[in-house]
Amino acid sequence: MSTTDEAMALGSGGLMEVVVDRSNLVAALKQVQANKGSPGVDGMSTQALSGWLRQHWPRLRQQLLDGCYVPMPVKRVSIPKNGGGTRELGIPTVVDRFVQQALLQVLQPRIDPTFSTHSHGFRPGRSAHGAVREALGYIAQGRGIVVDVDLAKFFDRVNHDVLMNRVARHVSDKRVLRLIRRFLRAVVVADGVTQARTEGTPQGGPLSPLLANILLDDVDKALEASASCFVRYADDINVYVKSVRAGERMMMRLRKLFSSLRLQVNEDKSAVARVDERKFLGFTLERRVRKPRAIISSSSLTRFKDRVREETKPTRGRSLDYVITGLAKWMKGWRAYFAIVECQTKNDFKSLDEWIRRRLRALVLRHWKRGPVMYRELTERGIDTHWVTILARRSKCYWANSHTSAMHLAFPNRLFDKRGLPRLST
């Protein structure tokens, strides 16, 4: 479809014609396959999508253009949350993810420019780092009190009518509106039981983040109109003020704003407090005389160590190289995410590097188990027999032995570097 044809389609409300344009569909297919993900209720994998579309695309295209396409049920799975408890994810079928992705690619460029500059979550060119930097800017202005709002089960409690009313402000094509509502109302399959859905937008579909931003943009605009200093990342909203009294007034106002959207503030997890008493997107923001800074929150460090402990459990019976490969990928992502922290926290990174390597040395010792095996392995690596004998006699003191000079010589830092273990400190 040419640019002129696309403009005519949009002007006449023919958004669906843009959605089913070949170039948009090719991009959607590539994105769904790149995202991978689990199969939905029909068991189809992302790899099988191309073949399925070659055979069924004409019929699917006509259903979309006629406005009669009906999504498949959504598979519900539970995953653990960082702060405890579980989060419910809805996994659409691969075909439905493909259709949602095609919709997203057309809707996002059209709607995203209308969003607030203070909204950072799930938007092109924006990130959690931008949200943290904006928050630090407010703290530097002397706003040391934060109104930290957590919404109770936000994605599960989105009112469909309220949401679709906001979507209709941006979309006039009734086929697109009808299709989005059908995605919202698609039945859920959990443990083989089918459940109707009358509210909520399931996390797991490509459209959900955009729909969340559309709904919460009302709150953003209201806060902008009153010149409030706020940052929003998805459903995490922080407003920065100069006094507790101002914060309490703002909290009352936010309750009313969210209530107008049929949403509820989680009172147990929301608070008016000093900025350094709350965490934001995994960081603790510290107010200082010269310049505020972001450091890694204690809970983020705890979760990091818990993950390393899980990966290095000796009962899994995995080789050292296998464990390092498993650690490497998410360690690189973790390091990149927390890269904006102040230099002071590099000491934390160095300590974590040392602790991780010690965990791996202890894992090797557990693999050897007995003194004779330990003696042979260490002597083959050129370690002095005097020190090897001492270690072999206390072969089951894995954690203590992992910190000895002999183990450091047998498994030096450069060996872990060579095997692909990334360093957090650089």
Side-chain angles (χ1 to χ4, degrees):
M1 182 179 289
S2 68
T3 304
T4 304
D5 291 340
E6 180 176 332
M8 290 177 62
L10 291 173
S12 62
L15 202 61
M16 189 62 80
E17 280 71 16
V18 183
V19 172
V20 299
D21 177 63
R22 176 176 173 77
S23 61
N24 184 53
L25 297 173
V26 170
L29 175 61
K30 289 180 179 178
Q31 188 60 53
V32 170
Q33 291 178 328
N35 291 342
K36 298 181 181 178
S38 304
V41 294
D42 61 352
M44 184 189 298
S45 66
T46 53
Q47 293 87 346
L49 180 57
S50 297
W52 188 93
L53 288 173
R54 278 194 292 269
Q55 182 177 355
H56 299 281
W57 171 242
R59 178 172 58 85
L60 176 58
R61 180 179 186 274
Q62 197 58 51
Q63 288 177 340
L64 292 171
L65 289 173
D66 292 343
C68 60
Y69 179 76
V70 178
M72 291 279 287
V74 174
K75 182 169 70 174
R76 176 176 289 172
V77 296
S78 299
I79 62 171
K81 294 172 65 174
N82 288 334
T86 59
R87 174 180 287 112
E88 302 291 340
L89 290 187
I91 302 178
T93 63
V94 172
V95 174
D96 284 338
R97 296 208 294 268
F98 166 71
V99 174
Q100 286 194 37
Q101 182 64 36
L103 275 171
L104 177 68
Q105 291 170 179
V106 173
L107 293 176
Q108 190 147 41
R110 180 185 177 95
I111 300 173
D112 190 84
T114 69
F115 291 151
S116 167
T117 57
H118 306 290
S119 168
H120 296 266
F122 307 112
R123 297 183 61 191
R126 292 175 175 268
S127 67
H129 288 175
V132 171
R133 290 192 183 99
E134 184 177 358
L136 289 173
Y138 292 139
I139 297 169
Q141 297 171 9
R143 300 176 183 276
I145 301 297
V146 62
V147 185
D148 184 2
V149 177
D150 182 90
L151 296 177
K153 297 184 178 180
F154 169 70
F155 285 94
D156 295 332
R157 293 183 177 175
V158 169
N159 182 280
H160 293 171
D161 291 333
V162 173
L163 172 59
M164 290 308 302
N165 177 270
R166 272 68 184 170
V167 176
R169 296 173 184 172
H170 304 278
V171 177
S172 58
D173 191 322
K174 295 190 183 309
R175 295 167 299 177
V176 173
L177 293 172
R178 191 180 305 122
L179 180 57
I180 293 173
R181 185 179 282 275
R182 284 174 178 166
F183 276 124
L184 290 172
R185 295 180 65 86
V187 299
V188 173
V189 176
D191 298 323
V193 179
T194 300
Q195 305 169 2
R197 188 170 64 221
T198 57
E199 63 179 3
T201 170
Q203 297 180 75
L207 268 180
S208 290
L210 176 63
L211 296 177
N213 278 331
I214 290 173
L215 180 62
L216 293 175
D217 191 55
D218 271 19
V219 176
D220 296 345
K221 293 299 194 292
L223 293 173
E224 281 184 331
S226 61
S228 300
C229 296
F230 74 98
V231 183
R232 183 171 68 80
Y233 190 92
D235 58 329
D236 289 330
I237 301 174
N238 280 7
V239 185
Y240 295 88
V241 296
K242 293 185 176 181
S243 69
V244 173
R245 181 172 293 182
E248 290 171 347
R249 289 197 299 268
M250 177 57 69
M251 181 66 83
M252 290 179 62
R253 185 178 177 215
L254 287 170
R255 289 191 187 101
K256 292 179 181 178
L257 286 172
F258 289 121
S259 179
S260 68
L261 297 176
R262 309 276 186 90
L263 297 172
Q264 183 180 348
V265 172
N266 186 333
E267 301 294 346
D268 292 335
K269 295 184 178 181
S270 302
V272 177
R274 283 183 3 213
V275 291
D276 57 2
E277 294 176 345
R278 308 292 292 180
K279 65 177 187 291
F280 182 50
L281 302 176
F283 295 90
T284 295
L285 309 184
E286 291 189 338
R287 183 182 181 185
R288 299 189 301 171
V289 174
R290 294 198 311 185
K291 180 184 176 183
R293 67 180 178 185
I295 64 172
I296 306 171
S297 70
S298 58
S299 57
S300 295
L301 289 172
T302 298
R303 287 195 297 271
F304 177 88
K305 286 195 166 187
D306 287 344
R307 177 71 181 267
V308 173
R309 289 188 183 98
E310 182 64 27
E311 293 289 331
T312 56
K313 273 186 177 179
T315 54
R316 290 190 166 191
R318 300 180 303 178
S319 69
L320 180 64
D321 285 335
Y322 189 95
V323 172
I324 288 175
T325 300
L327 287 171
K329 184 175 181 180
W330 71 267
M331 278 180 64
K332 289 176 182 177
W334 194 89
R335 180 181 62 189
Y337 182 77
F338 287 105
I340 67 170
V341 299
E342 291 285 340
C343 294
Q344 173 267 339
T345 312
K346 288 185 178 179
N347 293 328
D348 293 331
F349 283 170
K350 184 178 179 181
S351 296
L352 285 173
D353 280 333
E354 294 170 355
W355 178 76
I356 292 166
R357 289 191 290 264
R358 186 174 179 183
R359 290 280 307 182
L360 292 172
R361 292 183 181 109
L363 178 67
V364 171
L365 289 169
R366 284 182 177 273
H367 285 169
W368 292 343
K369 293 182 180 177
R370 293 177 299 171
V373 177
M374 182 185 299
Y375 188 93
R376 183 185 71 245
E377 293 286 350
L378 288 175
T379 52
E380 287 178 355
R381 286 170 170 79
I383 308 303
D384 187 281
T385 55
H386 170 73
W387 299 112
V388 174
T389 301
I390 293 174
L391 264 66
R393 285 174 179 170
R394 54 176 196 178
S395 60
K396 292 188 178 181
C397 300
Y398 307 116
W399 186 245
N401 285 347
S402 67
H403 201 44
T404 58
S405 298
M407 283 302 293
H408 278 262
L409 289 171
F411 290 86
N413 294 347
R414 65 178 179 275
L415 180 145
F416 293 112
D417 294 338
K418 186 177 180 180
R419 294 194 178 190
L421 181 71
R423 294 197 187 199
L424 300 175
S425 56
T426 53

